[in-house]
Amino acid sequence: MSHKFIIYPYKMTSESAKDLARGLGAKRVFPDGRYRPKDNHIVINWGNSTYPEWRYNPFKMLNDPLRVSNACNKLKTFQLLNERGVNIPDFTQNKTVTTWWLEQEHKVFCRTSLTGHSGQGIILASTPEEVVNAPLYTKYTKCKYEYRVHVFQGHIIDFVRKKKRAGVDVNQYIRSCDNGWVFCREGVELPECVKEQALKAIQALGLDFGAVDIGYNTREDKAYIYEINTAPGLQGSTLIAYTNAFKELLL
């Protein structure tokens, strides 16, 4: 019996879901549409944290929505990773703890959104007066490099490192595209501790695949998990890596 891929995206307008569907020759389906799974269907859950109405039919799904939901929530992610021995920055929900961090000359990230990504909802505080009410606070951990590592069923299939965009003033603390950072792969090598923590993070959340954002402190030779994306952007080599990884499931 030949198998067929189905893409279940977090939103139908997702460009990465469209690109993946084209690469796999798959169709994208709504959570409440007329689609009904068949025994030979493999559903790829692309970042959707809700169960579809058709979930009671027999089928195989990669990335269970509940586990995706955990990955989408920064607090839940940190709690689960912390419980399972994965390296993460110090975090708290107690605003008063941030005062002690600041007294120790650490900076604080006030995460005003638990579901924001790419730096969304982050306010950097250097003094107690700059700390705002937020559901999550993390202590800034100094890291020379930041990587995005793509993991698929226990294997690293692609990785890139963030670098400053030429001729642009960058935000040194929040390394997002909007703040002047881009991904590069040429000449990039992945430290062993970064590999180890990326694999552990995906396993700890029970995911089949995901893109792990990791900071690397060269002096300590230690990696820190920042977030995990279950519907990462796909371009060039990364799209090819995911397409090939999924296709290999059919071999």
Side-chain angles (χ1 to χ4, degrees):
M1 179 175 62
S2 61
H3 286 81
K4 180 179 180 181
F5 285 115
I6 303 294
I7 311 293
Y8 175 49
Y10 70 99
K11 63 178 180 180
M12 294 299 280
T13 56
S14 165
E15 292 300 325
S16 56
K18 292 178 184 178
D19 291 337
L20 185 62
R22 281 192 289 268
L24 294 174
K27 70 175 182 179
R28 295 166 296 128
V29 297
F30 289 96
D32 56 353
R34 291 183 292 177
Y35 166 69
R36 292 295 179 269
K38 296 182 180 179
D39 290 343
N40 66 326
H41 286 184
I42 300 176
V43 178
I44 300 171
N45 178 15
W46 198 250
N48 203 318
S49 59
T50 60
Y51 287 99
E53 291 183 2
W54 36 263
R55 68 183 182 275
Y56 298 108
N57 297 68
F59 65 96
K60 178 179 181 179
M61 177 180 280
L62 299 175
N63 274 4
D64 183 271
L66 177 59
R67 293 171 179 177
V68 169
S69 178
N70 291 336
C72 291
N73 184 298
K74 298 299 181 293
L75 177 59
K76 190 64 177 178
T77 296
F78 279 2
Q79 288 172 334
L80 289 171
L81 296 182
N82 186 54
E83 289 172 4
R84 293 161 191 181
V86 180
N87 292 342
I88 56 174
D90 290 343
F91 70 99
T92 183
Q93 290 184 277
N94 189 338
K95 189 177 180 180
T96 60
V97 172
T98 66
T99 302
W100 185 80
W101 288 347
L102 293 165
E103 288 175 351
Q104 302 300 311
E105 299 185 350
H106 293 286
K107 296 183 185 299
V108 173
F109 289 133
C110 309
R111 291 182 172 267
T112 61
S113 171
L114 292 178
T115 57
H117 59 86
S118 302
Q120 295 173 349
I122 296 179
I123 295 175
L124 179 66
S126 302
T127 65
E129 293 74 25
E130 293 175 337
V131 176
V132 301
N133 291 327
L136 176 64
Y137 303 95
T138 58
K139 184 169 70 175
Y140 169 67
T141 302
K142 189 174 183 179
C143 291
K144 184 175 182 179
Y145 299 122
E146 186 173 331
Y147 299 87
R148 172 164 289 185
V149 182
H150 298 273
V151 177
F152 188 94
Q153 293 200 329
H155 300 280
I156 293 172
I157 61 171
D158 194 27
F159 59 88
V160 290
R161 194 179 76 199
K162 293 185 180 181
K163 71 173 185 178
K164 301 175 184 178
R165 185 183 291 117
V168 175
D169 291 331
V170 301
N171 184 316
Q172 294 285 355
Y173 300 102
I174 305 173
R175 301 182 184 183
S176 66
C177 293
D178 291 341
N179 289 333
W181 294 84
V182 295
F183 290 117
C184 67
R185 66 176 67 250
E186 186 175 351
V188 174
E189 295 184 2
L190 208 58
E192 286 300 318
C193 65
V194 173
K195 296 178 185 178
E196 177 187 344
Q197 292 301 311
L199 294 170
K200 285 181 67 175
I202 294 297
Q203 182 181 39
L205 294 186
L207 295 168
D208 294 291
F209 63 87
V212 188
D213 288 343
I214 309 178
Y216 175 56
N217 185 304
T218 55
R219 188 173 68 175
E220 298 177 354
D221 189 30
K222 190 172 182 179
Y224 298 87
I225 305 297
Y226 293 151
E227 66 180 40
I228 298 170
N229 193 327
T230 57
L234 298 180
Q235 295 178 341
S237 299
T238 305
L239 175 59
I240 294 172
Y242 272 90
T243 301
N244 289 341
F246 282 116
K247 285 182 178 180
E248 285 180 8
L249 293 179
L250 304 184
L251 299 179

